[in-house]
């Protein structure tokens, strides 16, 4: 397959993926917005509806819950922003073997690992259950790919200087 044909396919797939991520985020926000708005307008909460609430939570759980939530949200935002940067950069026809690309992939991998760790901690604090998904493995794989892309950057630079 020729270089121009491959570049064209990368641009097309990147554009489709970027649009897919944006549509997914919009649909997810739209799906939850009416429930949040209705709950806010009606002033409902667990106490008023008679649902059982956590009684006398431990102080360490209260103190640790807020930073964990902030870290989880931050990791999710970093993952989405780095992914969109990567997709938009590739859709513009930029070379995938750049320092910026390897940094974006590394940031995504590290953010997914942090996301998984904080999610496990939050689940443990709220439900006393340790449930681990495979998000940490995806983060490790992305981090490893970032090293491959960094090596590709070095090879691309050597190739450009040779010619």
């Amino acid at each position: 397959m020729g270089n121009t044909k491959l570049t064209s396919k990368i641009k097309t797939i990147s554009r489709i993926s970027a649009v897919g991520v944006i549509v997914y985020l919009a649909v997810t926000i739209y799906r939850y917005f009416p429930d949040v708005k209705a709950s806010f307008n009606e002033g409902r909460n667990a106490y008023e509806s008679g649902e059982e609430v956590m009684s006398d939570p431990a102080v360490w759980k209260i103190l640790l819950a807020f930073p964990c939530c902030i870290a989880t949200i931050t990791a999710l935002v970093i993952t989405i922003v780095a992914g969109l940067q990567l997709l938009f950069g590739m859709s513009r026809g930029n070379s995938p073997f750049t320092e910026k690309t390897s940094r974006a992939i590394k940031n995504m991998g590290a953010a997914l690992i942090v996301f998984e760790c904080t999610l496990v901690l939050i689940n443990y604090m709220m439900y006393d259950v340790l449930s681990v998904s495979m998000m940490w493995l995806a983060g490790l794989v992305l981090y490893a790919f970032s090293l491959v892309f960094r090596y590709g950057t070095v090879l691309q630079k050597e190739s450009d200087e040779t010619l």
Side-chain angles (χ1 to χ4, degrees):
M1 188 179 304
N3 191 21
T4 56
K5 193 170 185 175
L6 183 61
T7 305
S8 173
K9 284 188 177 194
I10 290 172
K11 283 181 184 180
T12 304
I13 293 297
S14 298
R15 287 179 182 145
I16 291 170
S17 300
V19 169
V21 168
I22 291 170
V23 168
Y24 173 78
L25 290 173
V27 167
T28 301
I29 290 169
Y30 178 76
R31 189 177 87 201
Y32 288 112
F33 183 73
D35 294 336
V36 171
K37 184 179 175 187
S39 296
F40 181 76
N41 288 338
E42 294 173 11
R44 290 186 296 177
N45 63 28
Y47 179 75
E48 290 175 354
S49 65
E51 296 174 19
E52 187 175 329
V53 295
M54 186 187 305
S55 60
D56 296 329
V59 174
W60 69 270
K61 288 183 179 183
I62 295 170
L63 294 175
L64 200 56
F66 185 71
C68 283
C69 290
I70 296 297
T72 303
I73 292 168
T74 303
L76 186 61
V77 168
I78 288 171
T79 303
I80 291 169
V81 168
L84 287 174
Q85 282 179 339
L86 184 67
L87 291 172
F88 285 136
M90 291 176 68
S91 69
R92 284 188 220 113
N94 298 343
S95 171
F97 297 109
T98 63
E99 190 64 33
K100 188 175 182 180
T101 302
S102 75
R103 201 174 327 113
I105 295 171
K106 181 180 83 170
N107 290 343
M108 286 174 54
L112 285 177
I113 292 169
V114 169
F115 179 79
E116 178 65 28
C117 292
T118 56
L119 207 57
V120 167
L121 192 57
I122 289 171
N123 280 334
Y124 179 71
M125 287 186 310
M126 297 294 289
Y127 307 113
D128 291 330
V129 173
L130 284 175
S131 63
V132 180
S133 69
M134 297 300 284
M135 196 70 71
W136 64 272
L137 183 60
L140 286 176
V141 168
L142 282 175
Y143 197 84
F145 276 146
S146 77
L147 299 176
V148 171
F149 274 81
R150 185 174 296 151
Y151 182 67
T153 302
V154 171
L155 292 178
Q156 179 77 38
K157 188 175 182 180
E158 287 178 4
S159 173
D160 291 344
E161 289 173 355
T162 303
L163 298 175

